[in-house]
C-alpha cells in the first residue's frame, strides 16, 4: 500500500509523442507524470510514441516524479502492444483507461504480470464497480477521467461539477476504503487560472490527493491547493501540543480555537505534518 504522506498534488499528462514536452517535464515541479499513449496521441503516431517513450524512460532524468504510463485500452488495436511495451518500461505503474471492473485489471495483468496498476475511473460502469476495482491487489491508484464521464453521462458543463459529484464521490469512498491514491480529473481550460483554483479547492475539500493536469501553467496553482497551507501547519502543531499537554494531565480532550481536539484529530494533524515534510524533502531533491 502506498504511503499516505507521499504527495501526489500535481499529476501532469504528457503526450508521449511530443519529445519537447517529455524534456520539459524534467524541469517541472510535478509530483507525478502520466506519459500518455491514449487520447493525446493520434492513431498515426501511436507506434512511434511507444518507442519514443520507452527510449525517454530508459534515458531517465525524471527525478523523484512518479512515472505512470497510460496505455490504450486492451479492446483497441494498440492496447496489447502498449501493454507488452509498458511491462518493460522504466516506470512505476501502468495506467489503464476506462476500467469497468476488476476483470479488466486481470486482463492487463495477464500481459504485464505483477506490474502495479492505476485505473482510469471514467465510465458509469467503472464508478459502480469502484470498490471492487480499488480492492484489486495490483491497483495502487485511481485517476478520474471527468471528460469521458461527462460524455457518457451526457452532462452539461457546470463550474460546480454538480452532475459529476455522485461519480466522484463513489470513487473517493472506494479509494479511501481500500487505501488507494485518488487523483481528480483535468481542468480543460488551461488558461483559466481562477477556474482552476476553484476546482482544485473543491477537489481538495472532497479529499482527493491531487489533480491531473494538461499544461505546465497549471502546476503552481495545483501544488499550492493540494499542499498543507502555512495556516494548516501552524494549527496542526498547536493541536498536537495542546493534546499532549491535556493527555499528560490525564484528560482525553483538548480545546484549540474553541474546537475540540481528540485522538483522531491528532492523527490527522500528524499526517498533515508528515505530508508537509515530505513535500519539502522532495523539493530538496
Ligand atoms: C494543450 C496543449 C495542446 C497546448 O500545447 P502548446 O500549444 O504546445 O502549449 P504551449 O505553447 O503553451 O507550451 C509551452 C511549453 O510547455 C510545453 N508543454 C505543453 N504542454 C505540456 C505538457 N502537457 N507537458 C509538458 N510540457 C508541455 C510545450 O512543449 C512548451 O515547451 P517549450 O517550447 O520547451 O517552452 C498541450 O499542453 C497538451 O498537449 N497537453 C496535454 C493534453 C493531453 O495530454 N490530453 C490527454 C489527457 S486529458 C484526458 O484524456 C483526461 C481523461 O482521460 C478524461 O477522460 O478526462
Ligand atoms: Mg478519458
Amino acid at each position: 500500500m502506498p504511503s499516505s504522506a507521499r504527495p501526489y498534488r500535481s499529476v501532469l499528462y504528457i503526450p508521449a509523442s511530443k519529445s519537447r514536452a517529455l524534456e520539459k517535464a524534467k524541469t517541472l515541479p510535478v509530483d507525478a507524470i502520466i506519459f500518455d499513449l491514449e487520447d493525446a496521441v493520434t492513431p498515426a503516431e501511436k507506434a512511434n510514441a511507444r518507442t519514443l517513450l520507452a527510449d525517454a524512460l530508459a534515458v531517465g532524468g525524471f527525478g523523484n516524479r512518479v512515472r505512470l504510463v497510460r496505455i490504450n485500452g486492451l479492446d483497441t488495436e494498440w492496447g496489447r502492444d502498449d501493454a507488452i511495451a509498458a511491462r518493460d518500461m522504466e516506470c512505476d505503474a501502468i495506467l489503464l483507461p476506462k476500467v469497468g471492473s476488476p476483470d479488466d485489471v486481470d486482463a492487463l495483468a495477464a500481459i504485464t504480470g505483477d506490474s502495479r496498476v492505476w485505473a482510469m475511473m471514467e465510465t458509469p460502469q467503472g464508478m459502480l464497480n469502484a470498490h471492487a476495482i480499488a480492492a484489486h491487489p495490483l491497483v495502487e491508484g485511481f485517476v478520474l477521467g471527468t471528460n469521458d464521464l461527462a460524455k457518457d453521462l451526457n452532462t452539461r458543463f457546470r463550474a460546480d461539477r454538480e452532475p459529476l459529484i455522485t461519480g466522484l464521490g463513489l470513487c473517493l469512498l472506494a479509494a479511501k476504503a481500500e487505501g488507494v491514491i485518488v487523483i481528480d480529473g483535468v481542468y480543460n481550460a488551461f488558461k483559466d487560472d481562477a477556474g482552476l483554483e476553484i476546482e482544485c479547492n473543491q477537489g481538495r475539500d472532497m479529499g482527493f490527493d491531487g489533480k491531473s493536469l494538461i499544461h505546465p501553467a497549471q502546476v503552481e496553482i495545483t501544488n499550492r491547493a493540494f499542499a498543507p497551507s502555512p495556516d494548516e501547519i501552524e494549527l496542526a502543531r498547536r493541536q498536537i501540543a495542546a493534546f499532549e499537554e491535556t493527555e499528560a494531565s490525564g484528560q482525553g480532550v483538548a480545546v484549540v480555537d474553541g474546537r475540540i481536539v481528540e485522538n483522531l484529530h491528532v492523527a490527522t494533524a500528524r499526517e498533515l505534518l508528515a505530508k508537509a515534510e515530505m513535500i519539502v524533502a522532495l523539493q530538496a531533491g
Side-chain angles (χ1 to χ4, degrees), residues 86-105:
R87 180 186 60 198
D88 297 327
M89 286 185 198
E90 290 295 321
C91 64
D92 297 295
I94 298 171
L95 176 59
L96 184 64
K98 301 177 182 68
V99 176
S101 78
D103 293 350
D104 294 338
V105 182

Side-chain angles (χ1 to χ4, degrees), residues 7 31 55 59 73 92 97 99 138 216 221 252 257 271 275:
D31 291 332
D55 291 348
V59 170
D92 297 295
V99 176
L138 289 177
I221 288 170
D257 298 343
E271 273 175 33
K275 180 161 280 183

Side-chain angles (χ1 to χ4, degrees), residues 54 57-58 81-91 94 111-112 115:
L57 287 169
D81 287 344
D82 285 353
I84 291 167
R87 180 186 60 198
D88 297 327
M89 286 185 198
E90 290 295 321
C91 64
I94 298 171
I111 304 169
T112 57
S115 299

